[in-house]
Each structure stands twice: as C-alpha cells, then as structure tokens.
C-alpha cells in the first residue's frame, strides 16, 4: 500500500513525497485509496485539494475494519474543537437524523440476545479471503443476508426516495418494519421471495434526450442493499485506487479532485474522454452472470440476482420483460 508524507515549510507550502504502488509499479496508482503525485511544492489551496483527492473516507463494511490504510480523523467544528466521537465515520446507522425516534428505539434493541448491528464481524472473513486469493469462489453467501443486515439495509435507504410500483414509501414500510423484515428474511431463505418489476421513469439529459430510470419497490431495495453490502466485501479487493464509479464512500467530486491534481502537478500531453453509449440499457444478462460466477459460486445468491434482472419494468401500467439491460435509479 502506498503512502505519502506531507511536510509544511516556513513559506506555508507543502511537499508531497509519494511511494510507489505495488500493484502497477507507477506512482499514483494505488489499489485502495491513495493517489499521490511526484515531489513538488504547491500552494496551500492546491495542497488542500490534493488532500481531498487522496484522503477520502474509507468504506466501513465490517466493524472496526476499513478498506484503506487511511485512518479517519475526527472533523473539527468551526472553533477548532473536535466534534463528538459519534460524528466520526464508523457510526453506521446513527449517521441519519431522519426518523430519530424510530431509529433510536431500533438501535437500542437486541435481536436473539445479540446487539443490533448493521455490519457484522462475520464479513471480515469474506473480505480477507477475497483479498488473499482473487480467484477464490464463494459458495456460501446467502446466509449473510440475516434479519439484522436486512434491518440495517432498510435504514441505509434514502427516506424520501420516490416509491416503486408498489407505491410504498420508506415511512409506510417502517410502521411495522420488525414484522415485515422477519417475513422478508423467511421468504428469502425459503425460496419464496419474488422480485417486483421496476417502475419506469425518465429524466432529461444535457443533450436533450431522456435517460430511463427504474425505480425498485421498497422491499426489493432492502434486499438489494443487503446483497450489495456482502458483494462489496469481495469486489472492493479487486478495484484499483483510481477507480471511482459506483464505489462506496467515493464520488464524482473526488474523481475531479484527483484529475485536477494529476493535470496540474504532472506533465500531461493528452486526455481521453470516453463514454459507452447506453451501457446500462444494453448489458447482456448472460455475460453479466458469467462474470459474477468468476467469484460467486453460491447458486442461491446467483438466483436472487437473476430475479431482479428478469423482473421486467412497468410503464404506464404496462409490464414489459427485460431481456437485456439493468434498471438503474438516480
């Protein structure tokens, strides 16, 4: 894992001393988070942007574990006084202020005699196994979809998101969520879970066309979020540090910061801006599942993902199958 040392000088400037990536053998390509530049002096403003580019928060998929060697620090208030510990990354479910009464009551409970947690230590083994051997196939993943993880996934969803075909909002589901989560868990592990079609909607694009979106039903979102939590433990080990798309704790703003640092601090002769037209709308279900099978050998987990691909879409009350492509939300 590469590291960088930042030193300040009497002139208020900074020096960044990078180390070389073990993955690619080039400076700046780090497998999980660091994006350093050659030794240079930069202004304080540029140094701040450099720190933003390389100091993103690590994803916390398991208790006390991080995908990065960068340790999150407590942010300071305006007066320079550190905020309470609960504001630091690692709070898990308590980082949302919406529905405080319901959420607080839920977190204080215990399930089956164990404290209620959203991200359990059992995923540490999955992550470490994926890190040790990138060719290993995982044969027993569905059991990680526990009632506790489904409950945690519910509270990780956007509370004000538009409802799917079922018309059910987060607030509707939360009324009797304990009973409904238990029923959902039983249906998943009993093979009785059925995915609902996605609700088709459109948003305008800058070129005047419209981008199709697929809004999943609330219950489907819960299961998808739980599956994502499990699969991220595997696939996050394969991504390189300069990869930003659809990854936890990463954003387009961080990608722009890294790009700014690369352009302004290194000699750049050309830049390639490429886009795959209609990528999500044209994904082959067959090839997608073949790629998933390189790492996932749990047939029940694979069947679960196939249900979402085959659920189809509903537009103006008319159902249509999805033979290619995968619905995506905003």
């Amino acid at each position: 894992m590469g590291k960088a040392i930042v030193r300040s000088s009497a002139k208020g400037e900074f020096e960044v001393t990078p180390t070389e990536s073990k993955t690619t053998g080039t400076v700046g390509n780090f497998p999980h988070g660091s994006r350093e530049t050659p030794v240079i002096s930069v202004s304080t403003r540029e140094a701040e942007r450099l720190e933003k580019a390389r100091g993103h928060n690590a994803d916390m998929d398991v208790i006390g574990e991080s995908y990065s060697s960068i340790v999150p620090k407590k942010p300071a208030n305006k007066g320079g006084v550190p905020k309470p510990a609960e504001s630091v990354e690692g709070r898990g479910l308590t980082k949302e202020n919406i529905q405080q009464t319901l959420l607080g009551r839920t977190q204080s409970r215990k399930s089956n005699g164990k404290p209620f947690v959203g991200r359990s230590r059992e995923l540490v083994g999955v992550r470490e196994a994926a890190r040790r051997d990138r060719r290993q196939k995982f044969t027993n993943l569905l059991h990680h979809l526990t009632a506790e993880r489904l409950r945690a996934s519910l509270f990780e969803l956007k509370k004000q998101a538009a409802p799917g075909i079922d018309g059910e909002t987060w607030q509707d589901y939360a009324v009797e969520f304990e009973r409904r989560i238990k029923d959902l868990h039983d249906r998943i592990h009993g093979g009785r879970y059925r995915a609902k079609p996605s609700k088709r909607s459109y948003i305008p694009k800058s070129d005047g066309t419209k981008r199709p979106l697929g809004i999943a039903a609330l219950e489907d979102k819960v299961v998808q979020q739980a599956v994502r939590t499990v699969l991220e433990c595997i696939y996050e080990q394969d991504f390189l540090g300069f990869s930003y798309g659809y990854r936890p704790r990463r954003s387009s703003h961080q990608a722009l910061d890294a790009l700014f640092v690369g352009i302004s601090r290194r000699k750049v002769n050309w830049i390639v801006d490429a886009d795959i037209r209609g990528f999500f709308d044209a994904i082959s279900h067959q090839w997608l599942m073949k790629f998933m099978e390189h790492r996932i050998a749990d047939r029940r987990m694979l069947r679960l993902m196939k249900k979402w691909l085959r659920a189809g879409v509903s537009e103006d009350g008319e159902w249509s199958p999805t033979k290619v492509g995968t619905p995506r939300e905003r």
Side-chain angles (χ1 to χ4, degrees):
M1 180 68 72
K3 298 180 180 178
I5 302 173
V6 180
R7 299 185 178 90
S8 61
S9 68
K11 297 181 181 179
E13 297 181 340
F14 291 77
E15 274 196 353
V16 182
T17 305
T19 56
E20 192 174 76
S21 167
K22 294 180 180 179
T23 303
T24 61
T26 60
V27 173
N29 297 332
F30 291 85
H32 298 292
S34 298
R35 290 158 307 278
E36 290 77 17
T37 59
V39 180
I40 42 94
S41 291
V42 295
S43 66
T44 302
R45 183 178 179 181
E46 290 178 341
E48 290 176 354
R49 193 155 192 178
L50 172 61
E51 285 303 300
K52 287 174 62 179
R54 63 176 290 274
H56 70 278
N57 290 331
D59 181 59
M60 304 296 287
D61 267 352
V62 287
I63 296 176
E65 295 290 334
S66 168
Y67 283 144
S68 172
S69 61
I70 301 173
V71 180
K73 298 180 180 179
K74 297 182 182 179
N77 290 322
K78 292 182 179 180
V81 180
K83 293 181 180 180
E86 54 265 33
S87 68
V88 182
E89 181 179 316
R91 289 176 59 198
L93 301 177
T94 60
K95 62 185 176 183
E96 294 276 354
N97 290 325
I98 304 174
Q99 300 287 334
Q100 282 295 327
T101 302
L102 176 62
L103 183 55
R105 176 164 54 88
T106 305
Q107 289 176 316
S108 64
R109 294 180 179 179
K110 291 186 176 182
S111 177
N112 298 326
K114 298 180 180 180
F116 166 62
V117 292
R119 317 226 179 206
S120 67
R121 295 182 184 277
E122 62 194 26
L123 288 181
V124 174
V126 175
R127 193 192 70 169
E128 293 302 323
R131 177 179 295 176
R132 286 193 303 267
D133 186 358
R134 294 190 177 185
R135 293 177 297 178
Q136 178 172 338
K137 293 186 177 182
F138 293 83
T139 60
N140 192 14
L141 292 176
L142 193 72
H143 80 279
H144 290 293
L145 300 187
T146 62
E148 288 78 11
R149 179 154 292 109
L150 293 171
R151 190 183 297 114
S153 298
L154 171 65
F155 284 98
E156 290 174 355
L157 298 179
K158 295 180 180 179
K159 310 302 185 295
Q160 305 303 325
I165 190 176
D166 56 350
E168 191 166 42
T169 65
W170 189 94
Q171 288 75 15
D172 295 333
Y173 197 91
V175 173
E176 294 183 328
F177 74 94
E178 290 282 12
R179 176 188 62 80
R180 301 187 68 173
I181 289 294
K182 182 181 183 303
D183 175 68
L184 177 59
H185 175 266
D186 292 342
R187 282 185 284 124
I188 291 173
H189 290 270
R192 294 178 288 107
Y193 166 78
R194 296 292 181 268
K196 295 181 176 63
S198 297
K199 181 180 178 180
R200 176 70 77 198
S201 64
Y202 297 88
I203 58 173
K205 297 175 63 176
S206 58
D207 59 2
T209 61
K210 292 184 177 181
R211 173 179 292 151
L213 301 179
I215 305 175
L218 196 285
E219 188 174 74
D220 292 332
K221 289 182 182 179
V222 173
V223 186
Q224 290 168 4
Q225 177 67 26
V227 170
R228 172 185 172 179
T229 300
V230 175
L231 296 186
E232 277 179 352
C233 290
I234 299 172
Y235 290 102
E236 273 296 299
Q237 312 311 314
D238 296 334
F239 285 113
L240 299 178
F242 50 73
S243 175
Y244 289 86
Y246 299 94
R247 293 184 61 190
R249 311 296 186 190
R250 296 209 175 193
S251 67
S252 57
H253 295 290
Q254 291 173 336
L256 289 173
D257 285 332
L259 181 62
F260 172 84
V261 172
I263 294 174
S264 60
R265 298 292 97 201
R266 304 181 69 175
K267 184 178 180 181
V268 177
N269 295 323
W270 45 266
I271 297 175
V272 177
D273 181 11
D275 186 22
I276 302 176
R277 181 181 303 172
F279 173 76
F280 289 96
D281 302 327
I283 289 178
S284 166
H285 294 178
Q286 180 180 3
W287 279 106
L288 176 61
M289 296 311 300
K290 281 185 177 181
F291 278 110
M292 296 297 296
E293 289 171 3
H294 287 314
R295 292 292 250 164
I296 313 300
D298 187 333
R299 309 310 303 179
R300 297 179 301 168
M301 182 68 84
L302 292 172
R303 281 196 298 269
L304 184 60
M305 289 184 281
K306 287 179 181 178
K307 289 180 180 181
W308 295 322
L309 293 174
R310 298 172 178 173
V313 296
S314 177
E315 184 175 358
D316 297 328
E318 295 291 330
W319 178 85
S320 58
T322 47
K323 298 180 180 180
V324 295
T326 175
R328 54 173 172 163
E329 292 197 37
R330 182 190 292 268

